Amino acid sequence: MTEDNLTHNDEIDRVVEAWQRELPQLDVSPMLVLSRVSRLARHFERRRRAVFSADGLAPWEVDVLAELRRSAPSYELSPGDLAHATLSDSATMTSRIDRLADKGFVERYPDPDDRRGVRVRLCPNGFRAVERALADLMICEYEMLAALTPDQRTELGQLLRLILVVFDAQGRPKSPPIGPKLPATPSSVTPTPGI
Amino acid sequence: MTEDNLTHNDEIDRVVEAWQRELPQLDVSPMLVLSRVSRLARHFERRRRAVFSADGLAPWEVDVLAELRRSAPSYELSPGDLAHATLSDSATMTSRIDRLADKGFVERYPDPDDRRGVRVRLCPNGFRAVERALADLMICEYEMLAALTPDQRTELGQLLRLILVVFDAQGRPKSPPIGPKLPATPSSVTPTPGI
DNA sequence: CAAGATTGATGCCTCAATCTTG
DNA sequence: CAAGATTGAGGCATCAATCTTG
């Protein structure tokens, strides 16, 4: 019965097949890439949560600490930098820094060059935590890619980059890089950024 | 022109380069795949939010309604089915169904075959909403993949499936497929599901 | 006014019970 | 006891408004 020839294997294959049956006039083939990306990201996030919980950390904590760790040798960034780097809201970052400071992982101090600004510095405590978490994470990630050959991993990374480059290149504007783009009523917005 | 050095282009290239500088002893190459997946998923989620907001819908609403829409011809599923299909918590699904029922998109009624169970049925209201949202989403997704040739899209989908199959195949057990154990010592776990 | 950061309100998700039924 | 669904508590994110400084 279920002896399909290699083509119908994961959940997305079944989803796309169902859409083609229900809405034959709609081309849902982009799902074969993007729904898989979403779904895989959710699985990955669950793994990250499990791995980090062994160290008493949450994924968002590692995200922030890792950003600071990589900013060596100063080990400090502004909240705005952190928000942009982690693709999160500015208000979210304020809250995150509060909690990380409470745990002694980072400390805040006023930016000497700009009185509006703040600098967030990584404490030794956070330094050790993030390095341990990262090592654990790499073991987990390595396992997740076990089904791929080295060449396939390289190829997969390159293909994903082709899509990401569009976002990260024009990524400077903190506003959503591309507007809602003609859903039903283009309400006089979105000057059509050149893709 | 852009033929030779297209190696350092997206954010993940810079991240990996920084880690190799800071922690040369740690192999972070899995990030070239998995960090890109995560990051792309976040970008994608933002787009989805923007697209659906034009229809007055949230991404999680479309997720649930789409699952019901594809369950034709009955157009009904149990909360547990929906939770599993959308990779979300059982409690989350209860809350979602509450809110969708308030909006008249779905309705709940007791399972005639199992008095513990509940059936969730798609209302005409939700039927129309999800079909419109899906059409808008496909336009958005198509644009996001514009940088790829058809062959590249196919290839990318296949490579992602190789990873997903491992999750979706053994996905039956509701417990996290792999325990939070072994942060440092790969002792005896990971039964290596035979692809 | 614009940029940077913060605050409070609101909404959604996760987790640990709890209740009912098989 | 196990499965299915629900509840309430707590945590985190998002949004709009605010305050300060360039």
Side-chain angles (χ1 to χ4, degrees), chain B residues 116-127:
Chain B
R116 298 171 301 179
V118 168
R119 305 294 294 176
V120 182
R121 179 162 33 195
L122 187 64
C123 296
N125 215 4
F127 189 97

Side-chain angles (χ1 to χ4, degrees), chain B:
Chain B
M1 316 291 189
T2 56
E3 182 86 6
D4 40 352
N5 267 349
L6 32 86
T7 32
H8 289 62
N9 277 351
D10 71 349
E11 195 65 26
I12 303 303
D13 281 319
R14 291 184 279 272
V15 166
V16 168
E17 183 184 26
W19 281 127
Q20 285 172 345
R21 169 172 45 80
E22 293 301 319
L23 297 170
Q25 75 284 8
L26 186 66
D27 175 20
V28 295
S29 62
M31 287 186 182
L32 291 170
V33 172
L34 291 174
S35 290
R36 283 194 172 108
V37 168
S38 287
R39 199 170 176 87
L40 182 54
R42 300 198 62 148
H43 283 300
F44 181 37
E45 195 60 15
R46 286 190 175 187
R47 293 283 181 103
R48 292 216 312 155
R49 188 184 310 273
V51 168
F52 295 150
S53 73
D55 299 324
L57 293 172
W60 65 264
E61 291 179 298
V62 180
D63 288 339
V64 176
L65 295 178
E67 214 64 43
L68 290 168
R69 174 63 184 82
R70 284 203 316 275
S71 73
S74 72
Y75 299 107
E76 60 179 50
L77 291 169
S78 73
D81 292 338
L82 289 168
H84 176 264
T86 59
L87 293 181
S88 51
D89 194 82
S90 172
T92 300
M93 194 49 61
T94 296
S95 168
R96 287 181 174 182
I97 295 166
D98 287 342
R99 284 170 279 156
L100 287 172
D102 286 344
K103 293 179 74 169
F105 285 158
V106 304
E107 63 184 354
R108 238 193 287 237
Y109 71 94
D111 188 329
D113 298 333
D114 186 337
R115 284 180 198 151
R116 298 171 301 179
V118 168
R119 305 294 294 176
V120 182
R121 179 162 33 195
L122 187 64
C123 296
N125 215 4
F127 189 97
R128 286 187 292 271
V130 69
E131 293 209 348
R132 184 151 34 96
L134 195 69
D136 294 344
L137 179 62
M138 284 308 108
I139 297 174
C140 169
E141 294 197 7
Y142 198 83
E143 289 176 3
M144 281 187 64
L145 298 181
L148 272 61
T149 69
D151 281 352
Q152 286 174 326
R153 268 172 268 195
T154 302
E155 176 76 5
L156 179 49
Q158 306 257 357
L159 289 170
L160 290 169
R161 182 172 56 189
L162 286 178
I163 310 176
L164 267 176
V165 152
V166 179
F167 291 89
D168 287 338
Q170 65 177 5
R172 247 66 251 178
K174 59 84 175 277
S175 173
I178 280 198
K181 299 309 293 178
L182 66 114
T185 57
S187 49
S188 65
V189 224
T190 318
T192 319
I195 295 209

Side-chain angles (χ1 to χ4, degrees), chain A:
Chain A
M1 294 305 188
T2 56
E3 69 215 357
D4 318 68
N5 28 342
L6 251 28
T7 31
H8 291 61
N9 278 351
D10 71 349
E11 194 66 26
I12 304 303
D13 281 319
R14 291 184 280 271
V15 166
V16 168
E17 183 184 25
W19 281 127
Q20 285 172 345
R21 169 172 45 81
E22 292 302 318
L23 298 170
Q25 75 285 7
L26 186 65
D27 175 22
V28 296
S29 61
M31 287 185 181
L32 292 170
V33 171
L34 291 173
S35 290
R36 284 194 171 107
V37 167
S38 287
R39 197 168 176 88
L40 182 53
R42 299 197 62 145
H43 283 299
F44 181 37
E45 195 61 15
R46 286 190 175 188
R47 293 284 180 104
R48 292 216 313 155
R49 189 182 310 273
V51 167
F52 294 151
S53 73
D55 299 324
L57 293 171
W60 64 264
E61 292 179 297
V62 179
D63 288 339
V64 176
L65 295 177
E67 215 62 45
L68 290 168
R69 174 62 185 82
R70 284 203 318 275
S71 73
S74 72
Y75 299 107
E76 60 179 50
L77 291 169
S78 74
D81 292 337
L82 289 168
H84 176 263
T86 59
L87 294 180
S88 52
D89 193 82
S90 172
T92 300
M93 194 49 60
T94 296
S95 168
R96 286 181 174 183
I97 295 167
D98 287 343
R99 284 169 279 156
L100 287 172
D102 286 343
K103 294 179 73 170
F105 286 159
V106 304
E107 64 184 354
R108 237 192 288 238
Y109 70 95
D111 187 329
D113 299 332
D114 187 337
R115 284 180 200 153
R116 298 171 301 180
V118 167
R119 306 295 292 178
V120 182
R121 179 162 33 195
L122 187 64
C123 296
N125 214 4
F127 189 97
R128 286 187 293 271
V130 69
E131 293 208 348
R132 185 150 36 97
L134 195 70
D136 294 345
L137 178 63
M138 284 308 107
I139 296 174
C140 168
E141 294 198 7
Y142 198 83
E143 290 175 3
M144 282 187 63
L145 298 180
L148 271 62
T149 69
D151 280 353
Q152 286 174 325
R153 269 172 267 195
T154 302
E155 177 74 5
L156 179 49
Q158 306 257 356
L159 289 170
L160 290 169
R161 182 172 56 189
L162 286 178
I163 311 176
L164 268 176
V165 152
V166 179
F167 290 89
D168 287 339
Q170 64 177 5
R172 248 62 250 176
K174 58 86 173 277
S175 172
I178 281 200
K181 195 71 183 179
L182 65 107
T185 55
S187 54
S188 76
V189 242
T190 319
T192 317
I195 280 202

